[in-house]
Amino acid sequence: MATFLRKPDDLQDPRRRLRLKGEEIRFFNPQTGALPLFRTPQDRALNRKLYAGAWGKLGKGWGIRIVLPFTSERGRHIHPLDPMDGAERSRRGHVWEWGGERYVTFLEAKTFHLFEHRHGEEDRKDPSRLLVPRYLVRQEVFRSRMRALGLEDRPWYLAFRSVARATDERTVISAALPRTAVGGKAHLLVLPFPGHQALLFLANLNALVLDYAARQKVVSTDLTAPVLEQLPFLPPSAYGPGDLPYIVPRVLELTYTAWDLAPLAQDVWEGAEPDLRGAIEAWAKGARLHPDTPPDWAQGPYPFPPFVWDEERRALLRAELDAYYARLYGLGRKQLRYILDPKDLTEGELKDILSDYEEVDDPLDEEAYQKRVEKSTFPGETFRVLKDKDLKRYGKYRTRRLVLEAWRDLCSRGP
């Protein structure tokens, strides 16, 4: 018996109770055998659909390894960068010279976020601006560690944050990073495939649907490697020829916003088939790019300059990817509405979460949506922090609206 209770009377609420057999627990968590954190029977049913139709374990489906290059070895290999110590330092990209020694930038988990590697940097619109780290790693130590991990020739990395606090709007947070030292609460995903396939995996990592599944598993403040490995990733075979031209250019624009990720853009470009390369080229021509004036430390070659950082456009692109991945997972509009906000659904719609039955004709009717939320007594919740932040900043649940608008536009295009 699994329950999600806030007060003793909740024991009598059948909407909060469900039974899980041993084989069902192993279905969701075959490696750890941990009990999933389903709040309601609807969560169990919806997750069964996600796992049954999309199971693609990292090792078998993608051949990805999770590694932690550096732990919290401060004082031994990781040295604080104190801007007030008065020492003379020079910097060229992510390589520093200081006291006759060479160092490499050390990136922590908090320095990146969804599709961005300069999180917290004040001027992300400047493609030459580099994030100022708190720590550095000796270059010879960095090279030795990367060599031991088989990453000595990698010009960029894919990373995820292992910290997953209740106050965060998302649980799975991943980004492409330049060639730097990485560690602490930041883990690397070692990729055995070309850049454009890596962008597919990055898009899946940051998809709202996958994050919903992750929220049924994280029991503390850590997104551990075993938990990540048991999430329902789409296998490589789930992507058809028409999916890549839609996904890859959008992820590339979200990711390639600075010159230090030019090697990523080149990697994607070189590995792309002619059709995908044509789609990327057309996308770049229709987007805003920075002038072709790279800084002297930029590594070439590169297919085109970085994309301009635009907050509003980024929100739209992320919403389009969230809607697209919902379709790839085989979800309908009602299931997507549930993931965004369970209180959006009527009692009739909640009776069978997997059916396509909807009593709501237009979920984008904001006034009607608010009335359903106020009337709902459903005990489930999914992205409460995300919703609360949107309400505080925009006066409405903007993410929900953008994703459902993207879903509508996708449906208007047909299969």
Side-chain angles (χ1 to χ4, degrees):
M1 175 73 74
T3 62
F4 190 85
L5 309 176
R6 294 186 183 278
K7 55 184 185 298
D9 290 347
D10 290 341
L11 279 169
Q12 310 305 319
D13 188 346
R15 299 174 301 176
R16 296 179 181 268
R17 301 199 308 267
L18 60 151
R19 291 184 179 274
L20 295 176
K21 297 181 179 179
E23 58 267 27
E24 192 169 15
I25 294 173
R26 289 189 292 273
F27 172 76
F28 291 112
N29 290 316
Q31 295 184 45
T32 63
L35 185 69
L37 302 178
F38 301 138
R39 294 171 181 267
T40 66
Q42 286 83 357
D43 287 329
R44 177 178 64 179
L46 188 49
N47 274 270
R48 282 201 67 89
K49 179 178 178 64
L50 295 177
Y51 280 82
W55 183 252
K57 291 177 64 178
L58 293 188
K60 294 181 179 179
W62 289 94
I64 292 177
R65 292 186 295 120
I66 299 176
V67 300
L68 179 62
F70 293 91
T71 56
S72 299
E73 302 164 285
R74 295 168 189 171
R76 182 183 177 193
H77 297 312
I78 301 176
H79 306 274
L81 177 63
D82 186 354
M84 304 300 291
D85 67 3
E88 291 187 7
R89 289 183 288 263
S90 63
R91 180 178 191 178
R92 184 175 175 82
H94 290 291
V95 177
W96 302 68
E97 289 195 10
W98 175 22
E101 299 279 354
R102 283 197 167 188
Y103 296 82
V104 177
T105 294
F106 177 76
L107 294 183
E108 304 169 86
K110 61 184 175 183
T111 62
F112 63 89
H113 210 267
L114 299 171
F115 300 111
E116 61 166 303
H117 68 291
R118 299 182 296 169
H119 188 57
E121 175 56 49
E122 293 181 3
D123 189 7
R124 284 170 288 185
K125 293 184 178 181
D126 181 354
S128 300
R129 192 173 181 89
L130 299 170
L131 189 142
V132 178
R134 294 198 304 163
Y135 301 95
L136 302 177
V137 173
R138 290 186 184 276
Q139 189 177 58
E140 65 268 23
V141 174
F142 166 72
R143 287 176 173 174
S144 175
R145 190 68 56 87
M146 293 299 104
R147 191 180 307 115
L149 295 172
L151 299 174
E152 66 270 26
D153 297 325
R154 297 294 177 97
W156 63 277
Y157 309 122
L158 188 63
F160 76 95
R161 293 166 57 162
S162 64
V163 59
R165 300 163 301 191
T167 55
D168 292 332
E169 60 188 58
R170 298 288 285 267
T171 299
V172 183
I173 296 174
S174 181
L177 304 181
R179 183 176 171 80
T180 58
V182 180
K185 292 291 186 178
H187 290 61
L188 295 186
L189 296 151
V190 182
L191 315 174
F193 38 72
H196 66 279
Q197 289 182 288
L199 293 195
L200 292 178
F201 192 74
L202 174 59
N204 198 167
L205 273 166
N206 286 336
L208 200 73
V209 173
L210 186 83
D211 206 277
Y212 163 72
R215 285 167 180 259
Q216 323 295 318
K217 291 192 171 185
V218 177
V219 297
S220 63
T221 60
D222 289 322
L223 175 61
T224 63
V227 171
L228 188 79
E229 290 170 349
Q230 294 177 121
L231 293 180
F233 290 98
L234 291 171
S237 59
Y239 297 95
D243 298 324
L244 273 66
Y246 187 94
I247 297 171
V248 172
R250 286 169 170 79
V251 180
L252 188 58
E253 178 174 346
L254 287 167
T255 302
Y256 178 38
T257 59
W259 285 108
D260 58 346
L261 277 180
L264 163 65
Q266 184 66 18
D267 190 16
V268 173
W269 182 257
E270 289 180 352
E273 297 292 334
D275 288 348
L276 178 56
R277 185 176 289 192
I280 294 172
E281 187 174 28
W283 184 269
K285 288 182 179 178
R288 293 174 58 205
L289 302 178
H290 284 285
D292 195 0
T293 54
D296 60 2
W297 50 259
Q299 300 179 28
Y302 51 88
F304 41 77
F307 292 89
V308 171
W309 180 280
D310 183 329
E311 291 280 3
E312 295 300 318
R313 181 172 169 86
R314 291 178 66 83
L316 291 173
L317 294 178
R318 283 175 48 184
E320 289 174 349
L321 289 170
D322 285 333
Y324 200 87
Y325 268 85
R327 291 231 307 192
L328 284 177
Y329 274 93
L331 301 185
R333 187 177 70 174
K334 186 175 77 173
Q335 290 95 48
L336 181 57
R337 289 170 49 214
Y338 178 89
I339 288 173
L340 288 163
D341 187 354
K343 294 185 181 298
D344 177 27
L345 273 63
T346 66
E347 290 191 14
E349 292 173 327
L350 287 165
K351 287 180 180 179
D352 184 358
I353 191 62
L354 298 183
S355 77
D356 292 330
Y357 170 73
E358 289 184 277
E359 296 179 344
V360 175
D361 293 327
D362 181 13
L364 291 171
D365 183 333
E366 192 69 24
E367 184 177 351
Y369 162 62
Q370 294 298 336
K371 288 182 178 179
R372 290 194 298 276
V373 170
E374 293 171 3
K375 182 180 178 181
S376 175
T377 60
F378 187 69
E381 63 177 39
T382 48
F383 291 93
R384 174 177 52 83
V385 174
L386 173 61
K387 179 181 177 180
D388 288 347
K389 287 186 176 181
D390 272 9
L391 289 173
K392 184 177 180 180
R393 183 172 182 180
Y394 306 107
K396 60 182 178 181
Y397 190 3
R398 189 184 72 154
T399 300
R400 173 188 177 275
R401 182 165 195 88
L402 291 179
V403 172
L404 291 179
E405 286 177 343
W407 175 271
R408 177 200 61 196
D409 295 341
L410 277 175
C411 291
S412 66
R413 295 174 51 202

